């Protein structure tokens, strides 16, 4: 029996029955990285969480900027919100996190899944990080495991561990809203890749199937959209019913073996995300840059022939 999933389903049903307030979700889409970030808040208490923020990064020049994060700050301030949590669904490979900048400006505790330590160990070796790089998750304020519960004002959050895309992926169920990270995409686009170090297509299938047991009316908010064929607009919100019945990669009736075969073949054709090397180095540090060298400048490494 999956007790934590049952608790999440019960929470969603309680919202649908009017026993728990519905959280307000505001999306911010960053087209250069195809990333949807979110501000989620309790309308009554104004307590809020920020999920999967984006730090603007120009790779050719090595310059960072804060346009995307500043848009979130402006919204938070205009709505009079109190940010309690800065949530990461995983250590992203396609964009840099703006969490430390947002924390400086707005407060809140930085949170990620406890398996970030696995990611830190794997990529600590790939980037040949020395002993100054802690591999214990201490760059984050709190590490969550499956079933952990937080509160956003008076609205509960339940964390579910959904590995497969990476070992550390977490889904956050806030009221009736399900934030899946990269575990699944829009029904017409399918699923995330599972070929990064520590990824596993079979685990990904099991994680998706687990989430699909949540109530049909669950609001599902995705971390990315890339415009599926024959669709001209970016979309990042759907329902669990739409995912379960219509996801082109993993709808009802698709077996685990068939999914693994499809995902493995598809992943073999994909190039690495263009920002994977800077993103992982920063995100495994909780969104912080590597320690400056003697000249006061931080440097990102480019490991050759490793990925």
């Amino acid at each position: 029996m999956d007790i934590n999933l049952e608790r999440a389903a019960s929470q969603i049903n309680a919202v649908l029955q009017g026993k728990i307030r519905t959280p307000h979700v505001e999306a911010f889409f960053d087209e250069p990285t195809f990333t949807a970030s979110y501000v989620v808040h309790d309308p009554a208490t104004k307590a809020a969480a920020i999920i999967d923020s984006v730090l603007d990064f120009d790779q050719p020049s090595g310059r960072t900027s804060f346009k995307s994060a500043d848009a979130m700050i402006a919204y938070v301030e205009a709505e009079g919100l109190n940010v309690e949590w800065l949530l990461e669904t995983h250590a992203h490979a396609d964009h840099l996190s703006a969490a430390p900048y947002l924390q400086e400006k707005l407060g809140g505790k930085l949170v990620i899944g406890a398996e970030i330590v696995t990611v830190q160990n794997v990529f600590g070796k790939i980037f040949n990080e020395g002993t100054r790089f802690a591999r214990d998750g201490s760059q984050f304020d709190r590490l969550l495991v499956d079933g952990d519960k937080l509160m956003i004002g008076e609205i509960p959050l339940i964390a579910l561990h959904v590995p497969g895309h990476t070992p550390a992926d977490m889904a956050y169920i806030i009221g009736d809203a399900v934030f899946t990270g990269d575990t699944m995409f829009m029904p017409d686009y399918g699923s995330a890749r599972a070929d990064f170090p520590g990824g596993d297509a079979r685990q990904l299938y099991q994680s998706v199937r687990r989430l699909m047991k949540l109530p049909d009316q669950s609001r599902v908010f995705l971390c990315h959209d890339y415009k599926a064929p024959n669709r001209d607009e970016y979309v990042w919100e759907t329902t669990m019913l739409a995912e379960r019945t219509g996801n082109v990669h993993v709808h009802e009736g698709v077996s685990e073996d068939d999914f693994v075969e499809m995902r493995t073949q598809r992943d073999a054709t994909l190039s690495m995300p263009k920002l994977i090397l800077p993103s992982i180095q920063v995100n495994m540090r909780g969104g912080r840059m590597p320690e400056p060298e003697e000249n006061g400048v931080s440097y990102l490494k480019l490991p050759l022939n490793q990925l």
Side-chain angles (χ1 to χ4, degrees):
M1 181 182 298
D2 191 336
I3 295 175
N4 294 331
L5 185 68
E6 288 188 359
R7 288 174 53 224
S10 295
Q11 172 181 295
I12 292 168
N13 285 326
V15 176
L16 298 174
Q17 295 165 8
K19 298 176 181 178
I20 296 176
R21 271 194 298 276
T22 302
H24 180 82
V25 180
E26 191 75 17
F28 297 80
F29 189 73
D30 180 62
E31 188 169 353
T33 63
F34 309 103
T35 301
S37 305
Y38 300 96
V39 177
V40 188
H41 77 267
D42 177 349
T45 67
K46 297 293 186 176
I50 293 177
I51 303 176
D52 290 336
S53 61
V54 173
L55 176 70
D56 301 292
F57 178 64
D58 180 65
Q59 189 166 16
S61 67
R63 289 194 171 274
T64 60
S65 57
F66 305 102
K67 180 180 179 181
S68 297
D70 284 340
M72 303 183 89
I73 292 172
Y75 173 78
V76 166
E77 292 178 342
E79 295 295 320
L81 305 181
N82 175 36
V83 175
E84 297 182 337
W85 306 104
L86 300 160
L87 306 171
E88 299 288 348
T89 55
H90 62 293
H92 307 275
D94 39 39
H95 71 272
L96 282 65
S97 170
Y101 175 75
L102 291 168
Q103 190 173 43
E104 178 184 349
K105 301 293 184 180
L106 299 173
K109 293 183 178 180
L110 179 55
V111 178
I112 200 167
E115 286 300 316
I116 186 63
V117 299
T118 301
V119 175
Q120 290 175 331
N121 276 300
V122 169
F123 281 95
K125 294 176 182 177
I126 289 174
F127 291 112
N128 196 32
E129 297 288 352
T131 56
R132 293 178 65 187
F133 172 58
R135 295 162 169 82
D136 57 1
S138 57
Q139 299 87 347
F140 301 84
D141 297 310
R142 184 159 177 180
L143 304 181
L144 300 181
V145 299
D146 193 75
D148 274 352
K149 183 176 178 179
L150 305 175
M151 297 296 294
I152 300 174
E154 297 174 356
I155 297 177
L157 176 157
I158 295 176
L160 296 179
H161 185 213
V162 285
H165 174 62
T166 78
D169 278 62
M170 301 296 287
Y172 299 119
I173 292 76
I174 304 174
D176 66 331
V178 181
F179 297 88
T180 68
D182 286 8
T183 305
M184 60 178 74
F185 294 146
M186 286 297 294
D188 60 358
Y189 200 88
S191 61
R193 65 195 300 164
D195 61 333
F196 295 150
D200 186 291
R202 202 164 294 278
Q203 280 189 333
L204 180 61
Y205 178 90
Q206 294 164 3
S207 292
V208 170
R209 279 284 180 262
R210 186 185 189 205
L211 291 177
M212 284 182 173
K213 293 178 182 177
L214 292 170
D216 289 348
Q217 303 97 317
S218 305
R219 295 185 291 159
V220 177
F221 295 92
L222 312 171
C223 189
H224 296 288
D225 188 55
Y226 303 95
K227 291 184 181 176
N230 303 316
R231 175 156 57 81
D232 296 327
E233 295 181 349
Y234 293 109
V235 186
W236 45 82
E237 180 181 353
T238 184
T239 67
M240 198 57 74
L241 175 63
E243 290 284 11
R244 183 168 52 78
T245 60
N247 188 291
V248 294
H249 289 169
V250 66
H251 58 79
E252 289 177 321
V254 175
S255 72
E256 183 173 321
D257 288 341
D258 286 344
F259 174 81
V260 170
E261 181 180 6
M262 177 282 299
R263 191 68 264 171
T264 302
Q265 292 177 356
R266 182 178 175 86
D267 288 350
T269 70
L270 301 176
S271 58
M272 285 287 105
K274 64 179 182 180
L275 292 182
I276 184 171
L277 294 176
S279 293
I280 294 294
Q281 286 178 81
V282 171
N283 294 337
M284 70 183 185
R285 291 177 163 88
R288 299 171 184 85
M289 298 297 165
E291 288 292 324
E293 298 191 7
E294 293 83 357
N295 60 358
V297 178
S298 294
Y299 292 87
L300 295 170
K301 295 181 178 180
L302 184 66
L304 300 178
N305 305 314
Q306 292 297 302
L307 298 179

